[in-house]
Amino acid sequence: MLLRLLLLLAPCGAGFATKVVSISLRGNWKIHSGNGSLQLPAAVPGCVHSALFNKRIIKDPYYRFNNLDYRWIALDNWTYIKKFKLHSDMSTWSKVNLVFEGIDTVAVVLLNSVPIGKTDNMFRRYMQCSFGWDWGPSFPTQGIWKDVRIEAYNVCHLNYFMFTPIYDNYMKTWNLKIESSFDVVSSKLVSGEAIVAIPELNIQQTNNIELQHGERTVELFVKIDKAIIVETWWPHGHGNQTGYNMSVIFELDGGLRFEKSAKVYFRTVELVEEPIQNSPGLSFYFKINGLPIFLKGSNWIPADSFQDRVTSAMLRLLLQSVVDANMNALRVWGGGVYEQDEFYELCDELGIMIWQDFMFACALYPTDKDFMDSVREEVTHQVRRLKSHPSIITWSGNNENEAALMMGWYDTKPGYLQTYIKDYVTLYVKNIRTIVLEGDQTRPFITSSPTNGAKTIAEGWLSPNPYDLNYGDVHFYDYVSDCWNWRTFPKARFVSEYGYQSWPSFSTLEKVSSEEDWSYRSSFALHRQHLINGNNEMLHQIELHFKLPNSTDQLRRFKDTLYLTQVMQAQCVKTETEFYRRSRSEIVNGKGHTMGALYWQLNDIWQAPSWSSLEYGGKWKMLHYFARHFFAPLLPVGFEDKDMLFIYGASDLHSDQQMMLTVRVHTWSSLQLVCSESTNPFVIKAGESVLLYTKPVPELLKGCPGCTRQSCVVSFYLSTDGELLSPINYHFLSSLKNAKGLHKANITATISQQGDTFVFDLKTSAVAPFVWLDVGSIPGRFSDNGFLMTEKTRTVFFYPWKPTSKSELEQSFHVTSLADTY
């Protein structure tokens, strides 16, 4: 595939002299296929697929098997054409730049039919997952997917502007370093002033500047008065995201003026790798503003195969869902794209810490001069663009490439290993790492994920076992072992990937499928599953603890199976995440001090089975509702070991908290509470996980009349003075497929409206596990979902994302609980 960009310039006379001009070429273009058989209008930013869809030449690319049927689009060559006029003769400008912010990387650019540029790397710097992944389709796009413009000037031009807040640990003061790069085309000295203003910090600073011909960098240093209180930026759940409005104005000779405004945030970040008592190896955790922070969150993938469809509203919806689920961190995965500016601005605003991969994933890359030059330019640009964002707390060189090389993923011949190791060090250490550390000294750089951190460095940048639990971060997946068994999981320092698959809801799938597809064994279901044996592995995990659906109605059986995959996924990730949270403060057999849990993955790129907790379009899966609980600031965690029930308390709070633990036992056959006990008040220290309660299960059940493992379930919560401090958690004493006394529940809802929020007053006839409230395709989320209902009534709120009505919700509402699938 080859993209040709033809720009036809028609000058409009001499016009008026001007110092700087920027002409946007966004908007309406024309495109045609290689042989000219297809000619149509196209929007820029955009891509060929979007243009064809908008003209109804193709259907929704995500519909059914269209990712196969529309391969011809990527295999063809396409030409974009734009005719435009300029209001002055180009000869009046000293320099003219044609700037493409985002363009297909295999392209020829022509101006008035004369080639002026070409992009054609041996290894295309493309969104890598656009060629397919185990959660996404293959849609390699062609087009101009970001802004395009002409910049012309005859004195100088401001190329880039960035700033870095720096904390002086000795003086205990904040300073601000501002860097601006100018392209000076005038042969004469350009003089002027740089004026920096941050009103809220009482800063108004003027500096005289002189710019000589060539590429010139102006560095401004702003010292903030020690007497002024500077509020720091904190991750979500740990404080405010205070920012300060700053303006920087350059007033230069001849009335030339450049003005930049930005939000400035102040925070420090440190990656701590130090010895741990009673454990070999080193810690691996982040300090923000001097405070150790447990990273709670997920992994971000591109929100759409067609990046021109990723709107501001879509980004805000997805990122708001992150903090609404008590997360504080995301890892931007290295097989996608460097996200748009608004993504990082929203993360700054919402308090979402970003682990930023560079875009290298699961592959061996070349180190020839052309490729290295391209990567050097790419990394330099991204560091300059992103370094001012407080949300980014670490750079990471790649995704899984250290592990791939050292664990033999690609069956590389032993004789070539040293060559590959040399190439790896050349690319990620001598090239990328060097550029990052030169351009940004305010945050750590990690060569890969997973990695052994300091140990990897000591071993020459590649460890024989990058999954060493005593160092760095790990990725962990196991779809065969019982996910309810906490012993399955690694007691690691930091777990940056882990997870289980599920299917999206029927209302999401329905949009891209037809009736013949609505079976778990259909061609469509097999086609959408890109993980080898993935559908069967989900059924395997379900069958360990639940009954498989057996309805004779095919559609009902399909919907029940979709529901159970989400139940399974939510329960598996809950069990695993709670294991990591309770491992925060303890060392067991030399392992522990876990300080991060980022499950794979947050969002979906299309409608298909995946590891996500948010479906394509933003609908919350059951897992996302569970995450709201298992990432709560204060959480009781229950588990068993050798017939003994243990309950831990995990705290992310900044201060010690006095509370009590209440443990209750319910029977599946009745809404009446069987028995309950509460502990004496105790204190959980800030930022710790501690053991609160132990009791043999037989002893616990002995005190609860009629209870056996199969007939009863345990719930527990933390409170003070009758006020609930934590979610109500639960522990199953047996697999639910063996539950005795579990009946089908008749659950009804009375819906009312309070302002923009809708109130669902629920009533149930029986105890019901995994109660799932669904309103189809009406966009929004509930305050809670997928819950264990042990009382006759419960009130849940629905927060719509678009205007809706009580009657619309009543028509769309459907409720499912576990026994409904029997």
Side-chain angles (χ1 to χ4, degrees):
M1 60 183 181
L2 176 66
L3 184 68
R4 294 175 73 247
L5 305 174
L6 178 59
L7 296 107
L8 303 175
L9 172 63
C12 259
F16 55 91
T18 184
K19 296 294 191 303
V20 179
V21 66
S22 180
I23 302 170
S24 175
L25 299 181
R26 296 169 67 103
N28 297 323
W29 288 55
K30 292 182 180 179
I31 65 172
H32 66 72
S33 57
N35 63 8
S37 60
L38 283 174
Q39 301 186 31
L40 61 148
V44 169
C47 69
V48 174
H49 287 82
S50 297
L52 293 170
F53 177 71
N54 290 336
K55 293 299 292 183
R56 299 296 183 260
I57 295 172
I58 63 171
K59 296 179 180 178
D60 180 357
Y62 286 173
Y63 183 72
R64 300 197 75 213
F65 304 93
N66 282 349
N67 61 315
L68 300 180
D69 296 340
Y70 294 159
R71 282 179 174 174
W72 60 270
I73 299 170
L75 296 174
D76 203 348
N77 297 327
W78 295 87
T79 299
Y80 271 69
I81 302 172
K82 176 80 170 180
K83 185 175 182 179
F84 60 99
K85 296 180 179 180
L86 299 180
H87 295 289
S88 65
D89 193 329
M90 292 178 69
S91 64
T92 65
W93 297 326
S94 299
K95 192 166 187 179
V96 180
N97 295 325
L98 177 59
V99 181
F100 288 91
E101 295 285 353
I103 188 175
D104 189 292
T105 53
V106 183
V108 176
V109 183
L110 304 98
L111 181 62
N112 290 341
S113 299
V114 177
I116 61 171
K118 183 177 182 181
T119 59
D120 187 8
N121 292 325
M122 180 181 76
F123 244 71
R124 300 167 186 172
R125 300 303 293 140
Y126 223 89
M127 184 170 84
Q128 198 166 322
C129 64
S130 66
F131 294 95
W133 217 266
D134 52 10
W135 36 256
S138 176
F139 277 115
T141 57
Q142 298 180 68
I144 307 170
W145 61 286
K146 287 187 178 180
D147 195 24
V148 55
R149 64 187 180 276
I150 289 176
E151 296 175 344
Y153 44 98
N154 54 21
V155 176
C156 71
H157 180 261
L158 179 59
N159 288 336
Y160 66 81
F161 162 85
M162 60 187 180
F163 54 89
T164 307
I166 302 170
Y167 186 69
D168 186 327
N169 201 48
Y170 178 75
M171 298 297 295
K172 307 300 181 187
T173 58
W174 282 100
N175 302 308
L176 189 63
K177 182 181 180 182
I178 302 170
E179 301 167 80
S180 304
S181 173
F182 292 87
D183 180 19
V184 184
V185 295
S186 172
S187 59
K188 298 179 181 180
L189 183 70
V190 180
S191 301
E193 293 181 335
I195 305 161
V196 180
I198 309 177
E200 294 166 284
L201 297 178
N202 296 329
I203 291 172
Q204 180 80 20
Q205 176 176 312
T206 301
N207 296 76
N208 294 322
I209 62 172
E210 291 184 341
L211 301 173
Q212 295 182 342
H213 181 82
E215 295 282 338
R216 300 297 170 187
T217 299
V218 174
E219 292 188 356
L220 305 173
F221 199 74
V222 179
K223 292 187 176 181
I224 300 173
D225 192 323
K226 192 173 184 179
I228 296 175
I229 297 176
V230 177
E231 293 190 24
T232 49
W233 179 95
W234 287 95
H236 175 70
H238 290 276
N240 297 324
Q241 292 76 49
T242 304
Y244 298 90
N245 294 318
M246 175 180 70
S247 66
V248 180
I249 300 172
F250 297 94
E251 293 184 342
L252 306 176
D253 292 343
L256 192 58
R257 177 187 172 99
F258 299 98
E259 182 171 356
K260 288 289 184 179
S261 60
K263 184 82 78 173
V264 181
Y265 300 88
F266 297 87
R267 68 100 184 90
T268 63
V269 58
E270 179 185 1
L271 174 58
V272 180
E273 296 179 88
E274 61 187 11
I276 300 173
Q277 188 176 1
N278 300 321
S279 177
L282 301 171
S283 65
F284 190 91
Y285 68 90
F286 293 89
K287 279 185 177 180
I288 305 296
N289 302 324
L291 182 74
I293 302 286
F294 189 106
L295 268 63
K296 305 181 296 186
S298 189
N299 285 259
W300 173 274
I301 66 167
D304 203 294
S305 293
F306 311 103
Q307 284 292 297
D308 54 290
R309 303 202 303 199
V310 181
T311 63
S312 299
M314 181 188 297
L315 287 176
R316 180 166 285 279
L317 174 65
L318 294 173
L319 293 175
Q320 185 64 51
S321 292
V322 170
V323 295
D324 285 348
N326 287 313
M327 299 183 193
N328 61 25
L330 288 175
R331 174 172 169 257
V332 177
W333 171 73
V337 293
Y338 302 101
E339 286 297 333
Q340 54 188 276
D341 291 343
E342 190 167 2
F343 172 89
Y344 300 99
E345 290 164 3
L346 285 167
C347 290
D348 294 343
E349 174 190 324
L350 295 170
I352 302 170
M353 293 178 285
I354 296 297
W355 172 313
Q356 178 67 52
D357 280 2
F358 286 97
M359 294 299 116
F360 302 86
C362 300
L364 302 176
Y365 293 83
T367 55
D368 62 275
K369 184 180 184 303
D370 287 347
F371 184 76
M372 295 292 278
D373 287 345
S374 171
V375 169
R376 191 172 295 112
E377 185 176 349
E378 170 187 323
V379 172
T380 299
H381 170 71
Q382 295 301 339
V383 171
R384 286 174 178 168
R385 181 174 77 95
L386 299 175
K387 64 182 287 187
S388 299
H389 290 283
S391 53
I392 299 176
I393 64 166
T394 189
W395 305 103
S396 178
N398 63 73
N399 172 75
E400 298 185 338
N401 290 347
E402 178 186 350
L405 182 56
M406 301 310 290
M407 307 298 284
W409 290 9
Y410 305 126
D411 297 322
T412 52
K413 295 180 180 179
Y416 293 119
L417 181 60
Q418 289 307 311
T419 298
Y420 295 136
I421 289 175
K422 181 181 177 182
D423 285 349
Y424 180 96
V425 173
T426 298
L427 177 58
Y428 300 112
V429 180
K430 295 180 179 179
N431 192 1
I432 294 176
R433 180 177 181 270
T434 298
I435 295 167
V436 171
L437 296 185
E438 286 177 354
D440 180 17
Q441 296 85 42
T442 66
R443 51 177 64 84
F445 174 85
I446 301 163
T447 51
S448 185
S449 178
T451 182
N452 289 341
K455 184 185 182 189
T456 286
I457 296 173
E459 294 177 336
W461 302 103
L462 293 110
S463 285
N465 174 25
Y467 290 89
D468 191 325
L469 302 185
N470 295 314
Y471 299 88
D473 68 313
V474 302
H475 297 181
F476 179 80
Y477 297 95
D478 182 348
Y479 312 121
V480 177
S481 301
D482 183 358
C483 76
W484 286 25
N485 181 0
W486 56 268
R487 296 176 187 84
T488 298
F489 310 122
K491 210 171 184 71
R493 306 295 192 218
F494 194 109
V495 190
S496 50
E497 279 193 28
Y498 63 98
Y500 294 84
Q501 280 198 329
S502 72
W503 275 80
S505 60
F506 181 75
S507 62
T508 295
L509 284 175
E510 191 177 19
K511 298 180 181 71
V512 292
S513 59
S514 63
E515 189 173 348
E516 64 193 278
D517 301 326
W518 299 338
S519 163
Y520 200 73
R521 302 294 186 186
S522 68
S523 297
F524 173 81
L526 295 174
H527 172 68
R528 289 276 159 155
Q529 174 58 268
H530 288 188
L531 174 66
I532 296 174
N533 205 36
N535 286 348
N536 287 333
E537 286 172 343
M538 280 187 271
L539 294 181
H540 164 71
Q541 282 293 337
I542 292 170
E543 205 166 10
L544 288 176
H545 298 286
F546 305 99
K547 298 175 183 177
L548 292 177
N550 58 9
S551 173
T552 56
D553 182 293
Q554 177 177 297
L555 179 58
R556 164 72 187 280
R557 189 165 65 252
F558 182 57
K559 289 181 177 180
D560 287 349
T561 306
L562 300 182
Y563 162 80
L564 281 173
T565 67
Q566 292 206 17
V567 168
M568 174 275 296
Q569 179 198 37
Q571 188 66 22
C572 288
V573 178
K574 171 186 186 291
T575 306
E576 186 166 358
T577 306
E578 290 181 346
F579 172 75
Y580 299 140
R581 289 204 66 187
R582 69 176 169 86
S583 298
R584 172 175 183 160
S585 303
E586 69 178 10
I587 295 294
V588 178
N589 298 324
K591 303 292 190 295
H593 275 221
T594 306
M595 284 296 290
L598 307 178
Y599 66 75
W600 186 270
Q601 67 210 62
L602 177 75
N603 54 312
D604 264 336
I605 199 169
W606 72 331
Q607 307 91 334
S610 80
W611 294 257
S612 77
S613 62
L614 296 176
E615 299 177 4
Y616 180 78
K619 186 173 183 176
W620 288 28
K621 287 183 178 179
M622 193 178 294
L623 170 57
H624 210 77
Y625 288 101
F626 274 42
R628 184 171 166 83
H629 291 297
F630 61 61
F631 282 145
L634 197 58
L635 179 71
V637 177
F639 68 99
E640 281 188 55
D641 189 14
K642 299 177 181 177
D643 250 7
M644 184 75 73
L645 175 64
F646 296 84
I647 299 177
Y648 275 60
S651 172
D652 286 328
L653 304 179
H654 289 200
S655 59
D656 298 351
Q657 181 83 38
Q658 180 171 297
M659 65 196 74
M660 60 189 294
L661 172 73
T662 298
V663 180
R664 303 185 302 183
V665 179
H666 316 262
T667 178
W668 292 120
S669 61
S670 172
L671 290 165
Q672 298 297 317
L673 180 64
V674 180
C675 57
S676 175
E677 63 175 297
S678 296
T679 65
N680 293 323
F682 54 83
V683 172
I684 292 185
K685 290 186 177 181
E688 290 194 4
S689 179
V690 294
L691 179 62
L692 305 177
Y693 176 93
T694 61
K695 180 170 281 192
V697 173
E699 181 181 330
L700 176 66
L701 295 179
K702 187 177 180 181
C704 302
C707 268
T708 66
R709 280 188 171 273
Q710 291 73 32
S711 67
C712 289
V713 60
V714 179
S715 71
F716 40 90
Y717 59 87
L718 299 169
S719 65
T720 183
D721 298 327
E723 179 185 353
L724 196 64
L725 296 178
S726 75
I728 299 175
N729 209 342
Y730 56 83
H731 173 70
F732 295 130
L733 298 171
S734 73
S735 295
L736 269 70
K737 65 181 180 181
N738 299 322
K740 301 291 179 61
L742 183 61
H743 304 298
K744 286 190 178 182
N746 179 27
I747 302 174
T748 59
T750 302
I751 305 174
S752 58
Q753 188 170 0
Q754 293 181 359
D756 295 331
T757 302
F758 292 86
V759 182
F760 284 64
D761 290 311
L762 305 175
K763 288 185 178 180
T764 182
S765 62
V767 172
F770 304 108
V771 175
W772 183 245
L773 312 177
D774 195 2
V775 289
S777 294
I778 297 176
R781 71 165 181 90
F782 289 94
S783 57
D784 198 8
N785 214 344
F787 47 81
L788 171 64
M789 195 165 181
T790 58
E791 298 177 346
K792 187 173 183 179
T793 62
R794 182 169 184 148
T795 298
V796 176
F797 300 95
F798 180 75
Y799 308 109
W801 295 331
K802 292 181 180 179
T804 187
S805 64
K806 176 173 175 280
S807 60
E808 188 178 19
L809 287 168
E810 288 172 338
Q811 291 172 13
S812 302
F813 178 70
H814 181 75
V815 60
T816 304
S817 66
L818 184 63
D820 293 327
T821 66
Y822 294 170

